[in-house]
Structure formats: structure tokens, C-alpha cells
């Protein structure tokens, strides 16, 4: 019964913070939101996986045209779209969905869930497609937070402290922001929590090929890059197994499971995209945020190392939902998370599960931007000026788990966690409701 109450608290806090934001945010997220809406729409309403690159559907263009943005300050395009006269060329990136290469699991559940939500609420409200899918993001985020609370109970054994750390995670703007927009990163907390769970299982002497393969397959099926947290954990376990451990094969097994799960998910995703047909046109965003490499390849990689030092203070929210106080508390949170990882690395020996959790967190945070740059350099000889920290969002649950462990080792830890989570919750609520943004 206490855990049921805790679960209701987590869901309620998530909804109280995110739903006002959804109500007040009438624009479009800069994180390719309409391409994600289109992908989910085509699965739910057209019964197909989109091609890797193809035009946005008319229904999605109509939704986009009627949402105010800097490039669309009047209602002229909305009028044209509602009458079916708007053309894709009148929209950014020529109205093209360039995200059709992603795996379909997130989009299928989001699209079908939104369609069911629209049908259920139709007698009492006229819920738009985008709003319904944003509500599904709240559900994704809530599910991730509930799972994170469960894994924290495994690591800490304390219900109160586990809840406080979970609420602090939920009210961090970089996390809460994905509860008010349509983006596969709404499932990132679930993905990161899978890594936290596997870290507990593996580093406490119960490594499993099967469990790792299943979880990695599911995580990769929401977004391929989401597996980075899991790979950070299993790679640390692999290195541990190679240090003349008498159970080398046992430690190596999770890495093999992660490789298998990722490979199967990627092959299925590629097959579905291939069956959908070839791209209808070129990718219109190629080169918009990248530069050609004109010097040694080490330059962009070295410049990238420091990008993900702080994963939670680099985020995007529309001005009507963000606030100076929320941005400030995010910076404080980032510093505290870095300190927590450092403390665990210094205070515990290499064989300690807490040390290995911290090492996995550090390895994941540093590897994401480097891997992205390497992939970009191999693909077309270009690199990103800056790699968005959100690409490593699945590492954030690992960092918060480190913070929870540090707090559990201090007598004043639970009280400090509750004071901090209460403060961040109040600031988050004040921001998304507009009280702090007036």
C-alpha cells in the first residue's frame, strides 16, 4: 500500500507540472516535433511506417500551420491549410519528415494511444492531435519515473529517500520538458532506468545475458541512441571481467546481450524502413548544423569532450514555460550531480558496485558526443559545432542514482533531498503555470 501511494504521488506530480505546460504551450518544439507527430500519425491513422524521408501528411501540416511560430506569425497559412491549399514548400525544411529512419515502437504506442485518447474524450472535448500526443508524453515520462523509483528502492532500500530523488529528477527542466512535447526522448527515463537496473544487477554479482538482451532490445526500439546508458554499464562490466576475474564469461555476458538486443532492434527497424520504400527526396536539413572538416579529425573530438559535462542545465523550453529560477536550479543540480559522481569514484574501490555505477555514468556522458561526431565524420566528412546534451539524456537517471547513493550515506541526506526536491517542484510548477514567467 505505501508503494501504491508513492506511485500515485509520482504520477500526480508529473501531471501537475506537465499538463499546465501542455495547455499553455501553443507553439511547436524546436526538437523536430512535427516530424515525430507525423511518424506517430502515419502508424496510428494510415497503418504504415513512413519512409526515411517523405512529405509530412496533410493533417500534420494543418496542425503545424495553425500553431503560432516565429516563421508563421499570422493565421494566413492556417486558413490555407484548413482548406487544403497549403503546400509543403511553405513550411520549414520544405514540410518534409526527415526522421522516418527511427525505430517505430515509441511512435506506435504514442500514435495509437493518442488516437484512443481522442476517441475517449470526443464526447466532452475537441482534443487536437498534437495535444493528445503530448499527453502521451506525460504517460511515457510517468512510466519512466515509476520505474526509476523502483530501481532506487533496490539501490537505497529507503522509500522516502527514493521518492525524494525521483521527484528531483522529475522536476529537472531537461527532463520535464519532454513531458510537454512529442519526442522519443520522452521514453529516455525508461531507457536510463533500464541501465540503472542492470548496473544494480550486474555489479552486485548477478549479470545476465538474457535480461540485458531483452531490455536493450526494448530500449533500442524506442531510439537507437537510447542504448548508450546500457552500453556504458556493460562496457564497465566487460572491462572488469577482463581483469583476470575468475568469472570472466559471466561478466562478458551482459555486453554480448546488449550487442544482440541492439542488433536485432536495428535490423528490424531497417527492414521496416526498407519495406516502406525509398526516400521520396533528399534530406533538406543536411549541412544546416554541421561544418566540413578542414583540419585534423582530432579537433572536433577534443572540442566535444566538455559538451556533456553538465547534462541537465542545457535544455530547451518555450519562453512561456521557462523561468530564470528554473534555469538557475538546473545549473545547481548539474553541479551537484557532477560532485556526486566524483565522490563515489574517490570514496569507493574499483570492485565496489557504487564505484562502477559512477564510472558508467562518467563513461556514458563523455562517450555520447564523441560517438555522434565520429558517426557524422564517417558519414559525410562533417561535424557538429555543438552536440546537444539531450542526446545523452539517458545518462541522467544514472547520475541521479549516484546522487541518491551519496545522500544515503549521510545522516542529513534524506532531509536535504526532500528540501531540494520540494524547492525544484515548486519552481517547476511556478514555471509551467506561468507564475514565474510573468
Amino acid at each position: 500500500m505505501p508503494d501504491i501511494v508513492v506511485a500515485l504521488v509520482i504520477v500526480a506530480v508529473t501531471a501537475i507540472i506537465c499538463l499546465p505546460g501542455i495547455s499553455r504551450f501553443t507553439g511547436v518544439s524546436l526538437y523536430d516535433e512535427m516530424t515525430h507527430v507525423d511518424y506517430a500519425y502515419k502508424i496510428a491513422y494510415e497503418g504504415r511506417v513512413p519512409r526515411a524521408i517523405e512529405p509530412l501528411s496533410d493533417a500534420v501540416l494543418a496542425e503545424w500551420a495553425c500553431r503560432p511560430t516565429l516563421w508563421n506569425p499570422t493565421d494566413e497559412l492556417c486558413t490555407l491549410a484548413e482548406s487544403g491549399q497549403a503546400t509543403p514548400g511553405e513550411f520549414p525544411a520544405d514540410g518534409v519528415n526527415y526522421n522516418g529512419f527511427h525505430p517505430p515502437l515509441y511512435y506506435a504506442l504514442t500514435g495509437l494511444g493518442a488516437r484512443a485518447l481522442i476517441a475517449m474524450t470526443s464526447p466532452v472535448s475537441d482534443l487536437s492531435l498534437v495535444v493528445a500526443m503530448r499527453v502521451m508524453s506525460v504517460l511515457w515520462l510517468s512510466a519512466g519515473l515509476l520505474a526509476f523509483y523502483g530501481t532506487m528502492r533496490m539501490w537505497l532500500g529507503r522509500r522516502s529517500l527514493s521518492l525524494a530523488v525521483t521527484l528531483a529528477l522529475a522536476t529537472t527542466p531537461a527532463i520535464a520538458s519532454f513531458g510537454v512535447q512529442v519526442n522519443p526522448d520522452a521514453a529516455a527515463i525508461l531507457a536510463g532506468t533500464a541501465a540503472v537496473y542492470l548496473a544494480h544487477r550486474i555489479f552486485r554479482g548477478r549479470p545476465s545475458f538474457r535480461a540485458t538482451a531483452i531490455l536493450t532490445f526494448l530500449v533500442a526500439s524506442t531510439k537507437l541512441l537510447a542504448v548508450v546508458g546500457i552500453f556504458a554499464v556493460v562496457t564497465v562490466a566487460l572491462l572488469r571481467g577482463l581483469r583476470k576475474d575468475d568469472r570472466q564469461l559471466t561478466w562478458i555476458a551482459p555486453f554480448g546481450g546488449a550487442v544482440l538486443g541492439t542488433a536485432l532492434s536495428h535490423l528490424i527497424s531497417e527492414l521496416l524502413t526498407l519495406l516502406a520504400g525509398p526516400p521520396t527526396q533528399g534530406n533538406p536539413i543536411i549541412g544546416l548544423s554541421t561544418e566540413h572538416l578542414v583540419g585534423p579529425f582530432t579537433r572536433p573530438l577534443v572540442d566535444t569532450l566538455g559538451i556533456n559535462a553538465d547534462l541537465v542545465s542545457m535544455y530547451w523550453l518555450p519562453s512561456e514555460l521557462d523561468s530564470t529560477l528554473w534555469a538557475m536550479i538546473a545549473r545547481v543540480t548539474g553541479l551537484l550531480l557532477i560532485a556526486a559522481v566524483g565522490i563515489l569514484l574517490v570514496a569507493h574501490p574499483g570492485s565496489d558496485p557504487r564505484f562502477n555505477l559512477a564510472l558508467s555514468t562518467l563513461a556514458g556522458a563523455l562517450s555520447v558526443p564523441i560517438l555522434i561526431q565520429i558517426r557524422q565524420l564517417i558519414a559525410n566528412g562533417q561535424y557538429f559545432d555543438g552536440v546537444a546534451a539531450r542526446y545523452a539524456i539517458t545518462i541522467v537517471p544514472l547520475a541521479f542514482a549516484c546522487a541518491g547513493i551519496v545522500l544515503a550515506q549521510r545522516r542529513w541526506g534524506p532531509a536535504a533531498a526532500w528540501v531540494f526536491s520540494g524547492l525544484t517542484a515548486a519552481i517547476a510548477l511556478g514555471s509551467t503555470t506561468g507564475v514565474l514567467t510573468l
Side-chain angles (χ1 to χ4, degrees), residues 76 94 103 130 179 258 270 372 395:
E76 180 180 352
D94 296 327
V130 171
E270 288 290 299
I372 289 176
I395 304 299

Side-chain angles (χ1 to χ4, degrees), residues 110-129:
T110 299
L112 293 172
R115 183 173 182 176
L117 188 60
I118 291 173
M120 288 187 295
T121 58
S122 59
V124 294
S125 68
D126 186 19
L127 203 62
S128 74
L129 180 67

